[in-house]
Amino acid sequence: MPAPSPLPLDPIAEAHRQWTEHGWSDAADGMAAVTSLMRAQQIMLARVEEALKPTGLTFSRYELLTLLTFTKNGALPMAKASARLQVHPTSVTNAVDRLESVGYVRRIPHPSDRRTTLVEITDAGRKLAVEATERLNSLVFGRPGLARDKLIALIRILAELRSDAGDFDSDDITTSF
């Protein structure tokens, strides 16, 4: 499917102008920032979905598989996976259901806590996670559309926003980049 033609003007800049003209200038910058972030998320999600399409994975299922590949034993309690992915436990359960039905993960009992269920990646799931990561690295992550210095600045700005919102606890959010 061909990309849509660019609009002749930036609709967010026009909305900013309208906000100001209608007496909401004190909120115009915030509106433009929020709307820009939401549009950027739509653009990135479309790129990710296109890259993942041949794998049959959604981004949330990809994230779960990849998280499991990063663990020492390839398994995590479902509640811990939910916390690390910052999603509701129901979302992890749905992703596990889908991935389990096609043989990419399996549920196993926790060895020392009968109340806890682990989700464990299978060899097929590990292979698919690697394939999907290679696709995302080459088609999306390796060329996000910004020069490296701007990309690092964006990461730091978004980390500050996330930290201020209580997304994570950190004394110095800029040292990792």
Side-chain angles (χ1 to χ4, degrees):
M1 175 167 61
S5 299
L7 297 173
L9 62 98
D10 179 355
I12 296 172
E14 174 59 16
H16 186 278
R17 186 185 71 73
Q18 292 285 348
W19 240 250
T20 302
E21 190 174 292
H22 283 83
W24 304 317
S25 57
D26 58 331
D29 291 346
M31 178 281 303
V34 169
T35 306
S36 293
L37 280 168
M38 293 176 80
R39 178 62 186 136
Q41 191 268 348
Q42 292 170 338
I43 291 166
M44 292 299 169
L45 186 58
R47 289 177 184 172
V48 165
E49 288 174 347
E50 185 65 27
L52 288 175
K53 189 184 290 185
T55 70
L57 291 173
T58 62
F59 190 61
S60 62
R61 292 179 207 147
Y62 164 76
E63 285 184 302
L64 178 57
L65 284 178
T66 301
L67 174 63
L68 293 171
T69 68
F70 293 157
T71 65
K72 191 181 339 180
N73 300 320
L76 275 177
M78 290 184 52
K80 190 173 276 191
S82 172
R84 289 199 182 156
L85 294 172
Q86 298 177 299
V87 297
H88 192 274
T90 303
S91 297
V92 170
T93 299
N94 290 338
V96 170
D97 288 346
R98 295 291 182 112
L99 292 168
E100 188 174 39
S101 73
V102 290
Y104 297 135
V105 300
R106 64 182 151 254
R107 287 176 172 91
I108 59 172
H110 192 284
S112 61
D113 182 354
R114 292 185 317 163
R115 297 168 298 159
T116 301
T117 298
L118 300 177
V119 58
E120 179 180 59
I121 192 166
T122 64
D123 289 342
R126 194 174 295 279
K127 181 179 178 197
L128 183 62
V130 169
E131 175 191 337
T133 299
E134 288 171 355
R135 291 189 60 76
L136 286 169
N137 283 345
S138 69
L139 299 172
V140 181
F141 301 154
R143 43 189 184 136
L146 291 172
R148 187 167 198 295
D149 61 328
K150 291 181 179 179
L151 192 60
I152 297 305
L154 177 62
I155 293 166
R156 288 179 175 158
I157 289 166
L158 293 175
E160 181 179 338
L161 184 141
R162 292 172 38 238
S163 178
D164 287 349
D167 208 25
F168 62 94
D169 186 21
S170 177
D171 292 332
D172 185 1
I173 59 177
T174 62
T175 57
S176 30
F177 298 98

